[in-house]
Amino acid sequence: MRAPPRLYALAATAALTLAAALLPVAQASGAAAAATAPPKLHASGNKLVDENGTTRRLLGVNRSGGEFMCVQGRGIFDGPVDDASVKAIADWKVNAVRIPLNEECWLGLSYINAAYRGANYISAVKGLVSRLEAHGITPIVELHWTHGKYTGGDNHCPDTEYATCQKPMPNAQYTPAFWSSVAQTFKDDQAVVFDLFNEPFPDRATSDLAAAWNCWRDGGKCPGIDFEVAGMQDLLDAVRGAGAKNLVLIPGVAYSNDMRQWLAHKPSDPAGNLAAAWHTYNFNTCNNESCWNEQLAPVIGQVPFVAGEIGENTCSHGYIDRVMAWLDAKGASYLGWTWNTWDCSSGPSLISDFNGTPTGFGVGLRDHLKGLS
């Protein structure tokens, strides 16, 4: 989700303490302990299948916080991520949770509060992953905010190079190292899914769409971008070079809303385990069935397809109802943005409290997921 930093200042007032972030999985409830382990997903044609060859879909929510709390010096997660809070997510019949991260916090850059960086940050993320898996939920580890000073079109924090906002592309300086480390951390757990980069927008840095897509795949010195870029191929190579064969999600351009050249620029994967990732909100360009049929259907016909973020800023659910119906008919996956207690008309937010009470927006996703189950 492309949201201004001021929105995050309105998030839950109490930062999660490090002790809470590191609660051991041993505290999981009896229900969680009895949950079926999440599947080890693999791409098979245009479907996701588990280790038994059964077709699966990822249906769930985003759990924002890990991308911004640490760089703002306010904690690691926005609100609780203990077993009770994970159970509240599971009660919506969610089978996947996307966890946005910050590369500078993971890598431990010195300007970040020591309590929220490096080993402490990694341990907190691992703890959340374990608790999700204890409830049978697939964790999707996703890179949201990255390093690199960007002053071009659609810039969000032009005065700093630090990872305090969404950048148009990942950077060559830190992002491959981030993914190499994440892959090393989770390569022995094939239930964890990797989402390479939140919302690329190299097309806002240049009017040359062909150049933007080449930048997206190959990186390097890209038109309109101030820093050396790491392309999707570079990041995928970092993951596979670390020995991880986990499922990898790769988004499109235009804040992950434009998929028209995704197939033509699809990175090469020796593991053959890729899915396309798309984001959609009512205020995006591709926000109607005509566009979806034209631009998305060809991609869905060839590779697994995951709408990593679906949402709307109406505090209602009319738009996502249409999105979910269309994706259901295609056998595709989707996750609502976001499981945080923000103002649903500016977030948008699915919940009004961490017990899982839905907002007027969230009730649409909750009821739909429960109906599918």
Side-chain angles (χ1 to χ4, degrees), residues 73-137:
R74 299 193 292 133
I76 294 179
F77 295 112
D78 172 31
V81 292
D82 57 6
D83 184 69
S85 67
V86 172
K87 182 181 183 300
I89 297 175
D91 286 346
W92 278 30
K93 303 305 179 183
V94 159
N95 70 18
V97 170
R98 183 169 175 260
I99 310 168
L101 299 181
N102 185 299
E103 72 179 12
E104 294 180 343
C105 299
W106 182 281
L107 294 173
L109 268 64
S110 61
Y111 81 93
I112 298 165
N113 187 315
Y116 311 137
R117 70 173 192 242
N120 291 333
Y121 184 84
I122 293 170
S123 293
V125 173
K126 289 170 66 177
L128 177 54
V129 165
S130 294
R131 287 187 288 278
L132 290 169
E133 291 186 336
H135 284 269
I137 294 172

Side-chain angles (χ1 to χ4, degrees), residues 20-21 57 102 201 280 369:
R57 289 201 294 160
N102 185 299
F201 57 98
T280 187
L369 294 181

Side-chain angles (χ1 to χ4, degrees), residues 42 233 236-237 240-241 245 267-274:
H42 197 280
Q233 186 67 65
L236 182 60
D237 289 348
R240 299 304 183 221
K245 297 180 180 179
S268 175
D269 182 18
N273 202 15
L274 298 182

